[in-house]
Amino acid sequence: MASRTDLANAIRALSMDAVQKAKSGHPGAPMGMADIAEVLWRGFLKHNPTNPNWADRDRFVLSNGHGSMLIYSLLHLSGYDVSIEDVKSFRQLHSKTPGHPEYGYTPGVETTTGPLGAGVSNAVGMAIAEKTLAAQFNRDEHNIVDHFTYCFLGDGCLMEGISHEACSLAGTLKLGKLVAFYDDNGISIDGEVEGWFTDDTAARFKAYGWHVVENVDGHNPDAIANAVTEAQSIIDKPSIIICKTTIGFGSPNKQGTHDCHGAPLGDDEIAATREFLNWPHAPFEIPADVYELWDAKDAGQEDENAWNEQFVAYKNAYPELAAEFERRVILGELPEDFSEKAFQLALTTQQKAESLATRKASQNTIEAFAPLLPELLGGSADLAGSNLTLWSGSKGIQDDAAGNYIFYGVREFGMSGIMNGISLHGGFINYGATFLMFMEYARNAVRMSALMGIQNIFVYTHDSIGQGEDGPTHQPIEQIANLRMTPNMHTWRPADGVESVIAWKSALEYNEGPSSLIFSRQGLPSQARTEQQVEMIEKGGYILVDSDSAPEVILIATGSEVELAVKAAAELNASGTATRVVSMPCTNLFDEQDEDYKQLVLPNSVTKRVAIEAAHVDYWHKYVGFGGKVVGMSTFGESAPGGELMKHFGFTVENVIKTVQSL
């Protein structure tokens, strides 16, 4: 019968063989962490390979995602739908084994981990979701939410700033079900890290409020198992297990060096490694007894069956809670009547016709929607009083684990990465807020949300130079275009309270990617609309004001500039220039409409077009064409009251009319 060493060496062999076949990849980390992975996956991890999405499974995150052959080997050996042919197709087009683990490609991969540090922030989010969901649903002896989040990470993850943001908050929130394993191998691509990374990692994590297990031999299964058992026993702190390992363990001439970090070992070194490890098997050949000991399907099904029985008892005792759990966690569906109620709120808001900042309209919408959606989990990277993300029922999870709001502190990047983890875990719809300008700090995590196609609602306020006196450091110019050009992202910039309600409604119903909701600091007037026009807002762009005859000119605007377009159109129509105003709060949704609708709103026959937005001009040329112009920004802003800046940069009725006349 195979030994534990054989079981770990199976990971090493598959990893070096797949990287060699692909002529690309990172064999060092999988070979160095194989012993840790064998102990965790065979001795502790609660999972079911035949149902990778079982609700109460443990979550496993490989934050050092360049070592992707580690998780692919584990999934294959454990019995997931990852065949040996999939392993052989490592890094090939449309394979289940891409270069870095990608959510949605491979069964059992919980998150996409390419950028270092992203995975550990996701793991913090998953642990937050587990703790909050448990507090909301568990009753008495019925612990239907009770699982761990395990995360592997390396030197690179710890050097990236997002790890500080996320791990600092994890300690504050006392996430006792989060266990991280630090692969302390002392090597990165450039060589030995002691030349650029001399942090006292143990002291750092103790300062965060983590439980730290130091000096664990990462190649000693008993020492690793004891460390995991110790970490699991600490219920009021997250734990980090610092494992000293040898990168590329088993490669006699390259282990312990950067030569095995990010390049294939080479045929000669692989042959030497097989001899060193006493692994006489051909490439991609795994002995039957090794497969037998790795297979987790039966044990995993038993764990899930036990949980299913537990859930039946829970359902009998708490039928309403169980129904909510099924809706939120298992099905991931909104309440059946939500869409209708949300639209009615839009109609009511239209009738009120209030002039207000769209950030305030956003808060009013949250106030109305949150009681309908117990799955709504809000937050802000500080600035809640400016972003207006708090509502009357907000309860911080730091005081009440069953709460519905996260005070992220000044951690925009960490917040966005954590939001990804919460979304991936399931059971919640996230929203998190900051100033639009500080999306730049979070950009990578926002992109990862879109790349994975997961639902998050990013709330961004202070949307333009109109926010005023803070000056160009706080005034976004190119950021809106950046968000609009991100695949899978829906980016909204509403003009008033009604469009703000529809933006929130759309974001809550859109679950194939994130939404960015961009709101103003300054007050904006309510625009007049019919009920049919309110319905059209969800198409992303619609005719807000039309001329009595066929339009000669079309003004396209978003956000605060819609008011400007409406005023300019009134003067143009009065002077005999037939002018249409198109409000386009979400260009992404407008682009998704059929050609007939787009031609109805923006007919090709009307070539005189002017787009108006206090953001970068370049984005709008695809809508105005060669015959049109853009009133927008091509420089950074200035420090002055918002109204003065708008005039200074040409956002006036006079300049819009002048621009139209110049066509």
Side-chain angles (χ1 to χ4, degrees):
M1 184 61 70
S3 66
R4 297 194 77 165
T5 300
D6 293 328
L7 300 180
N9 285 343
I11 296 172
R12 295 185 173 103
L14 287 174
S15 297
M16 67 182 185
D17 289 342
V19 171
Q20 186 66 27
K21 185 174 186 296
K23 297 181 175 58
S24 172
H26 299 74
M31 296 174 73
M33 298 192 79
D35 297 301
I36 305 169
E38 185 273 328
V39 170
L40 177 65
W41 276 62
R42 291 189 63 253
F44 295 92
L45 193 71
K46 181 176 67 173
H47 63 124
N48 184 2
T50 57
N51 183 11
N53 297 318
W54 166 38
D56 201 43
R57 68 193 182 279
D58 289 338
R59 269 55 170 186
F60 175 78
V61 175
L62 184 68
S63 189
N64 43 348
H66 54 274
S68 56
M69 268 311 305
L70 176 62
I71 193 169
Y72 299 148
S73 299
L74 290 165
L75 294 170
H76 169 68
L77 293 167
S78 296
Y80 284 79
D81 184 18
V82 179
S83 68
I84 196 66
E85 294 304 317
D86 293 323
V87 174
K88 291 178 181 179
S89 297
F90 178 56
R91 290 193 163 215
Q92 304 310 301
L93 184 64
H94 302 315
S95 76
K96 288 184 182 178
T97 51
H100 290 78
E102 293 190 34
Y103 174 74
Y105 275 64
T106 316
V109 168
E110 301 280 4
T111 180
T112 300
T113 52
L116 293 175
V120 67
S121 68
N122 298 165
V124 171
M126 292 174 186
I128 289 173
E130 192 277 340
K131 182 175 182 178
T132 302
L133 208 63
Q136 291 181 357
F137 283 99
N138 289 352
R139 295 292 185 274
D140 304 323
E141 72 284 2
H142 297 281
N143 293 324
I144 60 164
V145 181
D146 185 13
H147 54 265
F148 284 88
T149 300
Y150 298 104
C151 178
F152 283 6
L153 53 88
D155 293 302
C157 295
L158 293 180
M159 283 187 260
E160 291 287 359
I162 191 173
S163 71
H164 163 70
E165 295 184 27
C167 294
S168 167
L169 186 60
T172 299
L173 296 178
K174 305 182 187 305
L175 302 178
K177 294 285 190 69
L178 173 61
V179 180
F181 297 78
Y182 168 33
D183 179 29
D184 183 14
N185 61 38
I187 297 293
S188 67
I189 288 178
D190 281 354
E192 296 181 8
V193 300
E194 62 184 12
W196 47 86
F197 184 55
T198 58
D199 295 10
D200 186 337
T201 298
R204 169 185 168 183
F205 277 80
K206 287 175 183 176
Y208 291 153
W210 285 54
H211 175 71
V212 180
V213 187
E214 299 182 61
N215 300 316
V216 176
D217 182 350
H219 302 298
N220 183 329
D222 292 334
I224 298 164
N226 290 337
V228 178
T229 300
E230 179 182 334
Q232 288 185 335
S233 71
I234 306 300
I235 62 174
D236 62 343
K237 295 179 180 180
S239 295
I240 184 168
I241 301 170
I242 300 177
C243 299
K244 191 64 183 176
T245 65
T246 300
I247 190 171
F249 182 89
S251 169
N253 300 302
K254 295 187 177 183
Q255 66 179 9
T257 73
H258 68 99
D259 292 335
C260 63
H261 184 288
L265 296 181
D267 291 331
D268 292 343
E269 186 64 15
I270 285 178
T273 302
R274 279 187 152 76
E275 184 175 352
F276 183 89
L277 295 175
N278 192 25
W279 186 264
H281 313 290
F284 302 106
E285 180 183 310
I286 304 295
D289 57 345
V290 171
Y291 272 129
E292 183 179 348
L293 289 175
W294 264 110
D295 194 332
K297 294 193 292 294
D298 290 343
Q301 192 60 57
E302 288 178 12
D303 285 340
E304 183 175 353
N305 290 343
W307 183 85
N308 288 336
E309 292 177 10
Q310 187 180 8
F311 188 74
V312 169
Y314 176 80
K315 195 171 185 177
N316 290 333
Y318 303 100
E320 292 183 2
L321 275 175
E324 272 293 277
F325 186 88
E326 288 176 327
R327 179 184 71 79
R328 286 174 51 181
V329 181
I330 297 175
L331 299 175
E333 295 178 348
L334 292 170
E336 289 184 4
D337 59 352
F338 172 75
S339 186
E340 180 181 347
K341 288 181 176 179
F343 185 70
Q344 287 303 314
L345 176 65
L347 294 180
T348 301
T349 303
Q350 183 68 62
Q351 292 167 2
K352 288 182 179 179
E354 291 181 297
S355 295
L356 73 174
T358 51
R359 63 172 175 164
K360 180 59 180 175
S362 169
Q363 185 181 46
N364 293 346
T365 305
I366 297 170
E367 188 75 40
F369 285 173
L372 307 176
L373 302 171
E375 60 264 48
L376 204 58
L377 183 61
S380 183
D382 211 53
L383 300 174
S386 295
N387 298 144
L388 301 186
T389 47
L390 289 166
W391 63 288
S392 61
S394 292
K395 293 187 295 183
I397 65 169
Q398 80 282 358
D399 298 319
D400 180 357
N404 57 15
Y405 195 87
I406 303 174
F407 291 90
Y408 284 102
V410 188
R411 299 182 178 97
E412 297 89 355
F413 194 5
M415 173 185 73
S416 303
I418 288 168
M419 288 172 64
N420 288 342
I422 293 172
S423 179
L424 289 160
H425 181 279
F428 296 98
I429 298 176
N430 277 293
Y431 68 87
T434 185
F435 290 174
L436 176 56
M437 190 63 246
F438 302 143
M439 178 278 291
E440 292 290 358
Y441 283 127
R443 174 61 191 158
N444 187 270
V446 173
R447 182 179 186 272
M448 294 298 285
S449 179
L451 179 66
M452 290 187 279
I454 58 176
Q455 183 178 31
N456 279 313
I457 301 174
F458 298 109
V459 176
Y460 298 125
T461 68
H462 298 59
D463 66 340
S464 72
I465 58 170
Q467 69 105 348
E469 292 86 347
D470 281 333
T473 61
H474 284 53
Q475 293 166 3
I477 302 297
E478 71 276 25
Q479 286 67 36
I480 300 176
N482 185 314
L483 291 167
R484 285 175 177 147
M485 291 188 291
T486 302
N488 300 331
M489 172 79 76
H490 283 178
T491 299
W492 287 82
R493 186 173 182 243
D496 63 3
V498 180
E499 289 189 359
S500 298
V501 172
I502 296 298
W504 266 103
K505 176 181 182 294
S506 175
L508 288 162
E509 293 176 339
Y510 177 55
N511 58 15
E512 296 178 7
S515 298
S516 291
L517 309 185
I518 299 173
F519 298 117
S520 72
R521 175 193 183 191
Q522 70 272 32
L524 304 178
S526 177
Q527 299 297 328
R529 295 179 191 83
T530 65
E531 181 173 336
Q532 184 181 19
Q533 284 176 307
V534 175
E535 291 177 355
M536 293 298 104
I537 296 172
E538 292 193 68
K539 292 184 178 292
Y542 64 103
I543 301 169
L544 177 64
V545 174
D546 214 355
S547 53
D548 292 333
S549 58
E552 305 168 52
V553 174
I554 298 177
L555 304 181
I556 310 168
T558 79
S560 51
E561 289 71 70
V562 169
E563 174 191 12
L564 179 59
V566 169
K567 288 181 177 179
E571 292 194 21
L572 287 165
N573 280 315
S575 66
T577 301
T579 304
R580 169 180 292 179
V581 175
V582 171
S583 178
M584 198 176 287
C586 183
T587 62
N588 309 104
L589 274 171
F590 181 76
D591 290 347
E592 292 174 10
Q593 303 307 310
D594 61 45
E595 195 59 31
D596 287 345
Y597 181 76
K598 287 188 281 190
Q599 281 297 310
L600 177 69
V601 176
L602 296 176
N604 288 336
S605 58
V606 184
T607 58
K608 292 184 177 182
R609 302 180 185 181
V610 175
I612 313 162
E613 186 176 59
H616 204 285
V617 297
D618 282 0
Y619 180 80
W620 288 100
H621 289 297
K622 68 176 183 175
Y623 297 104
V624 300
F626 292 111
K629 292 188 176 181
V630 182
V631 176
M633 298 292 297
S634 56
T635 68
F636 293 113
E638 296 281 353
S639 179
E644 291 184 24
L645 289 176
M646 285 297 194
K647 292 178 183 177
H648 175 75
F649 285 103
F651 295 98
T652 64
V653 171
E654 293 76 18
N655 188 46
V656 171
I657 292 174
K658 180 181 176 182
T659 303
V660 169
Q661 291 171 342
S662 73
L663 294 177

